[in-house]
Amino acid sequence: MQTPSNQSSGTEENEITLGVGMGPLKFGASMDEVRALMGEPEEIEESEDDDEFEHQAWNYLEEGYSLYFDREDDYRLSCIETDHPGIRLYGEAIHGMSPEAIQDLMQRHGHEQSEVEKMDTGEMRLSYEKEMIDLYFDEDQLQFVNFGVFINDDLEVQWPA
């Protein structure tokens, strides 16, 4: 059984803050800073030669995180993908939520513009372009989230302060 103190740190650890990061992981962190926080990743993937963006993905398989570092951004943390069952957004546990529940949550926090796309594989993607977050659903349940640092209208990265 978890003690309340353990629960609160776990809660904060998996709290997504749009444009900023997740828990102690902040966009803009160097690879060394991330390594100090998270330890060594279980695997590191290099982007393919034909990828639009040259990057490294650090996969922490046990924790359910993939962290992306783009060469263009001096290999600073710019994107996080997670299927962690404890992920939270605006203080609410969102893993397994329906698309409608997510849209409602986002709307309550002033995010109206969403785009829905059905994938060939049967999954559904709910995207909030301005907020830089994509939410992926299978059978109407949130499976994983991909979110990144904000980018302004001039396509400039807006690192959190």
Side-chain angles (χ1 to χ4, degrees):
M1 193 167 122
Q2 281 192 318
T3 60
S5 63
N6 282 354
Q7 263 181 333
S8 67
S9 70
T11 297
E12 290 158 22
E13 229 170 72
N14 300 306
E15 178 74 31
I16 294 170
T17 306
L18 296 174
V20 176
M22 183 173 70
L25 285 171
K26 302 286 184 252
F27 295 130
S30 70
M31 290 177 156
D32 287 340
E33 290 167 330
V34 169
R35 191 177 279 117
L37 204 58
M38 298 285 294
E40 286 296 326
E42 283 138 292
E43 65 179 35
I44 296 179
E45 290 177 62
E46 299 280 345
S47 54
E48 302 292 322
D49 290 340
D50 58 354
D51 271 355
E52 193 178 332
F53 298 106
E54 233 179 283
H55 68 272
Q56 273 191 13
W58 288 15
N59 298 321
Y60 293 88
L61 306 172
E62 215 167 278
E63 292 89 352
Y65 305 134
S66 292
L67 310 178
Y68 293 86
F69 302 86
D70 289 339
R71 186 177 67 86
E72 196 177 282
D73 297 323
D74 301 320
Y75 288 107
R76 291 160 74 190
L77 179 63
S78 60
C79 184
I80 298 172
E81 188 170 284
T82 182
D83 64 357
H84 191 286
I87 50 175
R88 304 175 72 79
L89 183 62
Y90 295 114
E92 292 191 33
I94 60 171
H95 196 268
M97 265 191 178
S98 70
E100 295 76 22
I102 294 286
Q103 284 172 314
D104 181 56
L105 173 66
M106 292 295 279
Q107 202 167 14
R108 288 197 316 265
H109 292 276
H111 311 296
E112 309 268 334
Q113 288 297 89
S114 65
E115 193 177 287
V116 176
E117 183 186 345
K118 280 267 189 230
M119 315 299 269
D120 296 339
T121 49
E123 290 113 355
M124 186 193 108
R125 183 180 76 205
L126 179 61
S127 298
Y128 289 83
E129 195 175 335
K130 200 170 123 270
E131 289 79 12
M132 296 299 289
I133 185 167
D134 292 322
L135 304 111
Y136 294 85
F137 300 84
D138 192 17
E139 295 183 3
D140 271 352
Q141 292 192 327
L142 181 65
Q143 299 301 312
F144 70 95
V145 181
N146 183 313
F147 58 101
V149 66
F150 288 163
I151 296 173
N152 70 12
D153 293 340
D154 299 324
L155 301 180
E156 294 166 334
V157 173
Q158 305 297 294
W159 298 112

